[in-house]
Amino acid sequence: MDLGYTVLAAADGPEALRLLDNGHPVDLLFTDVVLPSGLDGRRLAHEAQARRPGLKVLFTTGYTRNAIVHNGRLDAGVELISKPFTSEALALKVRAILDR
Protein backbone atom coordinates (compact mmCIF):
# COMPACT_ATOMS: atom_id res chain seq x y z
CA MET A 1 0.00 0.00 0.00
CA ASP A 2 1.52 3.32 -1.08
CA LEU A 3 0.51 5.93 1.45
CA GLY A 4 2.36 8.81 -0.17
CA TYR A 5 5.03 9.17 2.50
CA THR A 6 8.77 9.17 1.95
CA VAL A 7 10.29 6.47 4.15
CA LEU A 8 13.88 6.31 5.32
CA ALA A 9 14.75 2.80 6.53
CA ALA A 10 17.45 2.00 9.06
CA ALA A 11 18.73 -1.44 10.04
CA ASP A 12 19.14 -0.46 13.69
CA GLY A 13 19.01 2.44 16.14
CA PRO A 14 22.49 3.82 15.49
CA GLU A 15 21.79 3.94 11.75
CA ALA A 16 18.51 5.76 12.41
CA LEU A 17 20.35 8.36 14.49
CA ARG A 18 22.90 8.84 11.70
CA LEU A 19 20.04 9.57 9.29
CA LEU A 20 18.76 12.23 11.68
CA ASP A 21 22.27 13.65 12.12
CA ASN A 22 22.64 13.90 8.34
CA GLY A 23 19.79 16.40 8.26
CA HIS A 24 17.15 14.31 6.52
CA PRO A 25 13.69 15.79 7.12
CA VAL A 26 11.76 13.47 9.42
CA ASP A 27 8.25 14.04 10.75
CA LEU A 28 7.71 10.69 12.47
CA LEU A 29 9.96 8.00 13.89
CA PHE A 30 8.36 4.55 13.58
CA THR A 31 10.30 2.02 15.63
CA ASP A 32 9.98 -1.37 17.18
CA VAL A 33 10.45 -1.47 20.94
CA VAL A 34 13.01 -4.28 20.56
CA LEU A 35 15.92 -3.47 18.23
CA PRO A 36 19.31 -5.03 17.45
CA SER A 37 22.64 -3.41 18.36
CA GLY A 38 21.89 -2.73 22.02
CA LEU A 39 19.85 0.43 21.48
CA ASP A 40 16.20 -0.35 22.16
CA GLY A 41 13.33 1.60 20.65
CA ARG A 42 12.66 3.57 23.81
CA ARG A 43 16.26 4.80 23.98
CA LEU A 44 16.27 5.46 20.25
CA ALA A 45 13.17 7.64 20.61
CA HIS A 46 14.76 9.54 23.50
CA GLU A 47 17.97 10.17 21.54
CA ALA A 48 16.05 11.11 18.38
CA GLN A 49 13.85 13.59 20.25
CA ALA A 50 16.94 15.13 21.87
CA ARG A 51 18.27 15.76 18.35
CA ARG A 52 14.89 16.81 16.97
CA PRO A 53 12.66 18.32 19.67
CA GLY A 54 9.01 17.77 18.84
CA LEU A 55 9.70 14.68 16.73
CA LYS A 56 6.66 12.41 16.83
CA VAL A 57 7.23 8.74 17.63
CA LEU A 58 5.16 5.64 16.95
CA PHE A 59 6.24 2.39 18.58
CA THR A 60 5.35 -1.11 17.52
CA THR A 61 5.80 -4.40 19.31
CA GLY A 62 4.68 -7.97 19.16
CA TYR A 63 5.15 -8.38 22.89
CA THR A 64 2.43 -7.61 25.38
CA ARG A 65 4.92 -6.93 28.15
CA ASN A 66 7.62 -4.42 27.43
CA ALA A 67 9.17 -1.14 28.49
CA ILE A 68 6.21 1.04 27.46
CA VAL A 69 3.19 -0.97 28.57
CA HIS A 70 2.59 -1.36 32.30
CA ASN A 71 -0.40 -3.28 33.64
CA GLY A 72 -2.09 -2.88 30.28
CA ARG A 73 -1.49 0.88 30.15
CA LEU A 74 0.85 2.90 27.99
CA ASP A 75 3.19 5.43 29.49
CA ALA A 76 1.89 8.98 29.10
CA GLY A 77 2.41 10.40 25.61
CA VAL A 78 3.38 7.07 24.05
CA GLU A 79 1.81 6.01 20.76
CA LEU A 80 1.75 2.27 20.03
CA ILE A 81 0.47 -0.01 17.30
CA SER A 82 0.65 -3.69 18.25
CA LYS A 83 1.78 -6.40 15.86
CA PRO A 84 0.35 -7.79 13.79
CA PHE A 85 -1.29 -4.73 12.21
CA THR A 86 -2.83 -4.08 8.82
CA SER A 87 -1.65 -1.48 6.34
CA GLU A 88 -4.94 0.31 6.88
CA ALA A 89 -4.50 0.40 10.66
CA LEU A 90 -0.97 1.71 10.26
CA ALA A 91 -2.12 4.37 7.79
CA LEU A 92 -4.82 5.57 10.18
CA LYS A 93 -2.45 5.65 13.16
CA VAL A 94 0.28 7.51 11.27
CA ARG A 95 -2.16 10.08 9.91
CA ALA A 96 -3.66 10.66 13.38
CA ILE A 97 -0.23 11.24 14.91
CA LEU A 98 0.93 13.55 12.14
CA ASP A 99 -2.28 15.58 12.36
CA ARG A 100 -1.71 16.39 16.05
Side-chain angles (χ1 to χ4, degrees), residues 33-34 40 42 61 64-70 73 75 78:
V33 173
V34 178
D40 66 31
R42 184 69 174 204
T61 187
T64 55
R65 294 180 185 167
N66 58 53
I68 61 172
V69 177
H70 307 283
R73 297 189 121 139
D75 290 343
V78 171

Side-chain angles (χ1 to χ4, degrees), residues 6 8 13 15-21 23-31 41-59 76-79 94 97-100:
T6 300
L8 302 173
E15 185 179 345
L17 293 175
R18 282 191 297 276
L19 288 172
L20 288 175
D21 289 342
H24 294 285
V26 176
D27 297 311
L28 174 73
L29 171 67
F30 180 46
T31 182
R42 184 69 174 204
R43 285 183 42 218
L44 169 59
H46 177 77
E47 291 292 325
Q49 289 175 320
R51 287 165 164 80
R52 303 272 180 99
L55 179 66
K56 297 172 182 183
V57 177
L58 173 58
F59 291 98
V78 171
E79 295 288 346
V94 166
I97 293 169
L98 291 175
D99 285 346
R100 287 192 195 127

